[in-house]
PDB file of all heavy atoms in Angstrom:
ATOM      1  N   ARG C  39     110.098 -71.966 -11.020  1.00  0.00           N
ATOM      2  CA  ARG C  39     109.302 -71.157 -11.961  1.00  0.00           C
ATOM      3  C   ARG C  39     108.123 -70.466 -11.272  1.00  0.00           C
ATOM      4  O   ARG C  39     107.563 -69.528 -11.808  1.00  0.00           O
ATOM      5  CB  ARG C  39     108.816 -72.014 -13.123  1.00  0.00           C
ATOM      6  CG  ARG C  39     107.805 -73.052 -12.760  1.00  0.00           C
ATOM      7  CD  ARG C  39     107.364 -73.882 -13.967  1.00  0.00           C
ATOM      8  NE  ARG C  39     106.308 -74.783 -13.645  1.00  0.00           N
ATOM      9  CZ  ARG C  39     106.459 -75.980 -13.097  1.00  0.00           C
ATOM     10  NH1 ARG C  39     107.676 -76.419 -12.822  1.00  0.00           N
ATOM     11  NH2 ARG C  39     105.423 -76.740 -12.830  1.00  0.00           N
ATOM     12  N   HIS C  40     107.743 -70.924 -10.074  1.00  0.00           N
ATOM     13  CA  HIS C  40     106.611 -70.332  -9.353  1.00  0.00           C
ATOM     14  C   HIS C  40     107.030 -69.251  -8.358  1.00  0.00           C
ATOM     15  O   HIS C  40     106.175 -68.491  -7.889  1.00  0.00           O
ATOM     16  CB  HIS C  40     105.858 -71.403  -8.557  1.00  0.00           C
ATOM     17  CG  HIS C  40     105.150 -72.401  -9.396  1.00  0.00           C
ATOM     18  ND1 HIS C  40     104.286 -72.066 -10.411  1.00  0.00           N
ATOM     19  CD2 HIS C  40     105.177 -73.750  -9.373  1.00  0.00           C
ATOM     20  CE1 HIS C  40     103.814 -73.151 -10.962  1.00  0.00           C
ATOM     21  NE2 HIS C  40     104.342 -74.194 -10.358  1.00  0.00           N
ATOM     22  N   LYS C  41     108.283 -69.154  -8.041  1.00  0.00           N
ATOM     23  CA  LYS C  41     108.715 -68.281  -6.945  1.00  0.00           C
ATOM     24  C   LYS C  41     108.381 -66.808  -7.163  1.00  0.00           C
ATOM     25  O   LYS C  41     107.916 -66.139  -6.251  1.00  0.00           O
ATOM     26  CB  LYS C  41     110.189 -68.486  -6.647  1.00  0.00           C
ATOM     27  CG  LYS C  41     110.419 -69.841  -5.992  1.00  0.00           C
ATOM     28  CD  LYS C  41     111.839 -70.055  -5.584  1.00  0.00           C
ATOM     29  CE  LYS C  41     111.951 -71.449  -4.937  1.00  0.00           C
ATOM     30  NZ  LYS C  41     113.291 -71.735  -4.516  1.00  0.00           N
ATOM     31  N   LYS C  42     108.579 -66.300  -8.362  1.00  0.00           N
ATOM     32  CA  LYS C  42     108.276 -64.893  -8.629  1.00  0.00           C
ATOM     33  C   LYS C  42     106.776 -64.629  -8.448  1.00  0.00           C
ATOM     34  O   LYS C  42     106.382 -63.666  -7.783  1.00  0.00           O
ATOM     35  CB  LYS C  42     108.705 -64.507 -10.040  1.00  0.00           C
ATOM     36  CG  LYS C  42     108.422 -63.061 -10.373  1.00  0.00           C
ATOM     37  CD  LYS C  42     108.821 -62.727 -11.791  1.00  0.00           C
ATOM     38  CE  LYS C  42     108.409 -61.298 -12.098  1.00  0.00           C
ATOM     39  NZ  LYS C  42     108.360 -61.023 -13.515  1.00  0.00           N
ATOM     40  N   ASP C  43     105.945 -65.497  -9.031  1.00  0.00           N
ATOM     41  CA  ASP C  43     104.501 -65.325  -8.911  1.00  0.00           C
ATOM     42  C   ASP C  43     104.026 -65.503  -7.475  1.00  0.00           C
ATOM     43  O   ASP C  43     103.118 -64.801  -7.020  1.00  0.00           O
ATOM     44  CB  ASP C  43     103.766 -66.311  -9.826  1.00  0.00           C
ATOM     45  CG  ASP C  43     104.013 -66.011 -11.306  1.00  0.00           C
ATOM     46  OD1 ASP C  43     104.292 -64.844 -11.638  1.00  0.00           O
ATOM     47  OD2 ASP C  43     103.932 -66.949 -12.108  1.00  0.00           O
ATOM     48  N   LEU C  44     104.622 -66.431  -6.747  1.00  0.00           N
ATOM     49  CA  LEU C  44     104.271 -66.617  -5.341  1.00  0.00           C
ATOM     50  C   LEU C  44     104.600 -65.376  -4.525  1.00  0.00           C
ATOM     51  O   LEU C  44     103.797 -64.940  -3.690  1.00  0.00           O
ATOM     52  CB  LEU C  44     105.012 -67.827  -4.757  1.00  0.00           C
ATOM     53  CG  LEU C  44     104.395 -69.180  -5.031  1.00  0.00           C
ATOM     54  CD1 LEU C  44     105.360 -70.297  -4.635  1.00  0.00           C
ATOM     55  CD2 LEU C  44     103.082 -69.332  -4.300  1.00  0.00           C
ATOM     56  N   ASN C  45     105.770 -64.805  -4.759  1.00  0.00           N
ATOM     57  CA  ASN C  45     106.154 -63.586  -4.035  1.00  0.00           C
ATOM     58  C   ASN C  45     105.198 -62.439  -4.339  1.00  0.00           C
ATOM     59  O   ASN C  45     104.807 -61.697  -3.441  1.00  0.00           O
ATOM     60  CB  ASN C  45     107.595 -63.199  -4.352  1.00  0.00           C
ATOM     61  CG  ASN C  45     108.589 -64.070  -3.633  1.00  0.00           C
ATOM     62  OD1 ASN C  45     108.330 -64.562  -2.550  1.00  0.00           O
ATOM     63  ND2 ASN C  45     109.736 -64.279  -4.245  1.00  0.00           N
ATOM     64  N   THR C  46     104.803 -62.303  -5.606  1.00  0.00           N
ATOM     65  CA  THR C  46     103.849 -61.262  -5.986  1.00  0.00           C
ATOM     66  C   THR C  46     102.526 -61.469  -5.267  1.00  0.00           C
ATOM     67  O   THR C  46     101.953 -60.532  -4.695  1.00  0.00           O
ATOM     68  CB  THR C  46     103.633 -61.265  -7.513  1.00  0.00           C
ATOM     69  OG1 THR C  46     104.878 -61.001  -8.156  1.00  0.00           O
ATOM     70  CG2 THR C  46     102.611 -60.221  -7.926  1.00  0.00           C
ATOM     71  N   MET C  47     102.030 -62.710  -5.281  1.00  0.00           N
ATOM     72  CA  MET C  47     100.759 -63.015  -4.637  1.00  0.00           C
ATOM     73  C   MET C  47     100.822 -62.749  -3.128  1.00  0.00           C
ATOM     74  O   MET C  47      99.922 -62.134  -2.546  1.00  0.00           O
ATOM     75  CB  MET C  47     100.364 -64.467  -4.885  1.00  0.00           C
ATOM     76  CG  MET C  47      99.020 -64.844  -4.296  1.00  0.00           C
ATOM     77  SD  MET C  47      98.610 -66.579  -4.505  1.00  0.00           S
ATOM     78  CE  MET C  47      99.831 -67.342  -3.436  1.00  0.00           C
ATOM     79  N   LEU C  48     101.898 -63.165  -2.493  1.00  0.00           N
ATOM     80  CA  LEU C  48     102.032 -62.964  -1.053  1.00  0.00           C
ATOM     81  C   LEU C  48     102.185 -61.485  -0.708  1.00  0.00           C
ATOM     82  O   LEU C  48     101.658 -61.026   0.305  1.00  0.00           O
ATOM     83  CB  LEU C  48     103.189 -63.795  -0.501  1.00  0.00           C
ATOM     84  CG  LEU C  48     102.952 -65.309  -0.536  1.00  0.00           C
ATOM     85  CD1 LEU C  48     104.216 -66.061  -0.140  1.00  0.00           C
ATOM     86  CD2 LEU C  48     101.777 -65.705   0.333  1.00  0.00           C
ATOM     87  N   ASP C  49     102.886 -60.725  -1.559  1.00  0.00           N
ATOM     88  CA  ASP C  49     102.997 -59.281  -1.339  1.00  0.00           C
ATOM     89  C   ASP C  49     101.619 -58.622  -1.393  1.00  0.00           C
ATOM     90  O   ASP C  49     101.301 -57.739  -0.581  1.00  0.00           O
ATOM     91  CB  ASP C  49     103.914 -58.635  -2.377  1.00  0.00           C
ATOM     92  CG  ASP C  49     105.385 -58.959  -2.159  1.00  0.00           C
ATOM     93  OD1 ASP C  49     105.748 -59.441  -1.062  1.00  0.00           O
ATOM     94  OD2 ASP C  49     106.172 -58.748  -3.104  1.00  0.00           O
ATOM     95  N   GLN C  50     100.787 -59.041  -2.351  1.00  0.00           N
ATOM     96  CA  GLN C  50      99.435 -58.502  -2.446  1.00  0.00           C
ATOM     97  C   GLN C  50      98.613 -58.892  -1.224  1.00  0.00           C
ATOM     98  O   GLN C  50      97.851 -58.077  -0.691  1.00  0.00           O
ATOM     99  CB  GLN C  50      98.751 -58.987  -3.725  1.00  0.00           C
ATOM    100  CG  GLN C  50      99.335 -58.398  -4.976  1.00  0.00           C
ATOM    101  CD  GLN C  50      98.704 -58.950  -6.246  1.00  0.00           C
ATOM    102  OE1 GLN C  50      97.742 -59.711  -6.210  1.00  0.00           O
ATOM    103  NE2 GLN C  50      99.262 -58.568  -7.387  1.00  0.00           N
ATOM    104  N   LEU C  51      98.761 -60.111  -0.776  1.00  0.00           N
ATOM    105  CA  LEU C  51      98.028 -60.581   0.405  1.00  0.00           C
ATOM    106  C   LEU C  51      98.428 -59.798   1.653  1.00  0.00           C
ATOM    107  O   LEU C  51      97.576 -59.377   2.441  1.00  0.00           O
ATOM    108  CB  LEU C  51      98.280 -62.073   0.611  1.00  0.00           C
ATOM    109  CG  LEU C  51      97.520 -62.739   1.744  1.00  0.00           C
ATOM    110  CD1 LEU C  51      96.026 -62.643   1.521  1.00  0.00           C
ATOM    111  CD2 LEU C  51      97.953 -64.181   1.880  1.00  0.00           C
ATOM    112  N   VAL C  52      99.708 -59.540   1.816  1.00  0.00           N
ATOM    113  CA  VAL C  52     100.190 -58.750   2.957  1.00  0.00           C
ATOM    114  C   VAL C  52      99.640 -57.329   2.879  1.00  0.00           C
ATOM    115  O   VAL C  52      99.190 -56.766   3.882  1.00  0.00           O
ATOM    116  CB  VAL C  52     101.736 -58.761   3.017  1.00  0.00           C
ATOM    117  CG1 VAL C  52     102.261 -57.711   3.982  1.00  0.00           C
ATOM    118  CG2 VAL C  52     102.232 -60.146   3.401  1.00  0.00           C
ATOM    119  N   ALA C  53      99.639 -56.741   1.681  1.00  0.00           N
ATOM    120  CA  ALA C  53      99.120 -55.379   1.520  1.00  0.00           C
ATOM    121  C   ALA C  53      97.646 -55.315   1.911  1.00  0.00           C
ATOM    122  O   ALA C  53      97.221 -54.387   2.616  1.00  0.00           O
ATOM    123  CB  ALA C  53      99.313 -54.912   0.079  1.00  0.00           C
ATOM    124  N   TRP C  54      96.848 -56.289   1.485  1.00  0.00           N
ATOM    125  CA  TRP C  54      95.437 -56.333   1.865  1.00  0.00           C
ATOM    126  C   TRP C  54      95.303 -56.506   3.374  1.00  0.00           C
ATOM    127  O   TRP C  54      94.451 -55.890   4.014  1.00  0.00           O
ATOM    128  CB  TRP C  54      94.701 -57.476   1.164  1.00  0.00           C
ATOM    129  CG  TRP C  54      93.996 -57.075  -0.088  1.00  0.00           C
ATOM    130  CD1 TRP C  54      94.267 -57.514  -1.351  1.00  0.00           C
ATOM    131  CD2 TRP C  54      92.900 -56.165  -0.222  1.00  0.00           C
ATOM    132  NE1 TRP C  54      93.415 -56.933  -2.249  1.00  0.00           N
ATOM    133  CE2 TRP C  54      92.564 -56.101  -1.580  1.00  0.00           C
ATOM    134  CE3 TRP C  54      92.186 -55.405   0.680  1.00  0.00           C
ATOM    135  CZ2 TRP C  54      91.527 -55.293  -2.051  1.00  0.00           C
ATOM    136  CZ3 TRP C  54      91.156 -54.600   0.196  1.00  0.00           C
ATOM    137  CH2 TRP C  54      90.841 -54.559  -1.154  1.00  0.00           C
ATOM    138  N   GLY C  55      96.116 -57.358   3.950  1.00  0.00           N
ATOM    139  CA  GLY C  55      96.062 -57.579   5.394  1.00  0.00           C
ATOM    140  C   GLY C  55      96.331 -56.312   6.177  1.00  0.00           C
ATOM    141  O   GLY C  55      95.647 -56.002   7.161  1.00  0.00           O
ATOM    142  N   GLU C  56      97.326 -55.553   5.745  1.00  0.00           N
ATOM    143  CA  GLU C  56      97.646 -54.297   6.418  1.00  0.00           C
ATOM    144  C   GLU C  56      96.530 -53.278   6.242  1.00  0.00           C
ATOM    145  O   GLU C  56      96.174 -52.558   7.183  1.00  0.00           O
ATOM    146  CB  GLU C  56      98.970 -53.750   5.898  1.00  0.00           C
ATOM    147  CG  GLU C  56     100.153 -54.594   6.340  1.00  0.00           C
ATOM    148  CD  GLU C  56     101.462 -54.206   5.664  1.00  0.00           C
ATOM    149  OE1 GLU C  56     101.446 -53.343   4.753  1.00  0.00           O
ATOM    150  OE2 GLU C  56     102.491 -54.786   6.041  1.00  0.00           O
ATOM    151  N   ALA C  57      95.949 -53.229   5.047  1.00  0.00           N
ATOM    152  CA  ALA C  57      94.840 -52.301   4.805  1.00  0.00           C
ATOM    153  C   ALA C  57      93.636 -52.670   5.661  1.00  0.00           C
ATOM    154  O   ALA C  57      92.993 -51.797   6.255  1.00  0.00           O
ATOM    155  CB  ALA C  57      94.467 -52.308   3.323  1.00  0.00           C
ATOM    156  N   MET C  58      93.343 -53.947   5.752  1.00  0.00           N
ATOM    157  CA  MET C  58      92.196 -54.380   6.546  1.00  0.00           C
ATOM    158  C   MET C  58      92.438 -54.149   8.036  1.00  0.00           C
ATOM    159  O   MET C  58      91.507 -53.834   8.778  1.00  0.00           O
ATOM    160  CB  MET C  58      91.874 -55.849   6.273  1.00  0.00           C
ATOM    161  CG  MET C  58      91.440 -56.127   4.841  1.00  0.00           C
ATOM    162  SD  MET C  58      90.093 -55.076   4.259  1.00  0.00           S
ATOM    163  CE  MET C  58      88.773 -55.636   5.298  1.00  0.00           C
ATOM    164  N   ARG C  59      93.661 -54.286   8.492  1.00  0.00           N
ATOM    165  CA  ARG C  59      93.982 -54.003   9.900  1.00  0.00           C
ATOM    166  C   ARG C  59      93.673 -52.546  10.216  1.00  0.00           C
ATOM    167  O   ARG C  59      93.091 -52.231  11.247  1.00  0.00           O
ATOM    168  CB  ARG C  59      95.450 -54.305  10.189  1.00  0.00           C
ATOM    169  CG  ARG C  59      95.806 -54.077  11.647  1.00  0.00           C
ATOM    170  CD  ARG C  59      97.256 -54.301  11.951  1.00  0.00           C
ATOM    171  NE  ARG C  59      97.763 -55.494  11.298  1.00  0.00           N
ATOM    172  CZ  ARG C  59      99.033 -55.699  10.984  1.00  0.00           C
ATOM    173  NH1 ARG C  59      99.934 -54.787  11.278  1.00  0.00           N
ATOM    174  NH2 ARG C  59      99.419 -56.804  10.398  1.00  0.00           N
TER     175      ARG C  59
END
Side-chain angles (χ1 to χ4, degrees):
R39 68 180 186 277
H40 292 308
K41 289 184 180 180
K42 180 182 175 198
D43 294 334
L44 278 169
N45 284 330
T46 299
M47 183 184 68
L48 292 173
D49 287 345
Q50 291 177 6
L51 184 61
V52 167
W54 265 116
E56 290 171 354
M58 296 308 293
R59 182 183 317 155

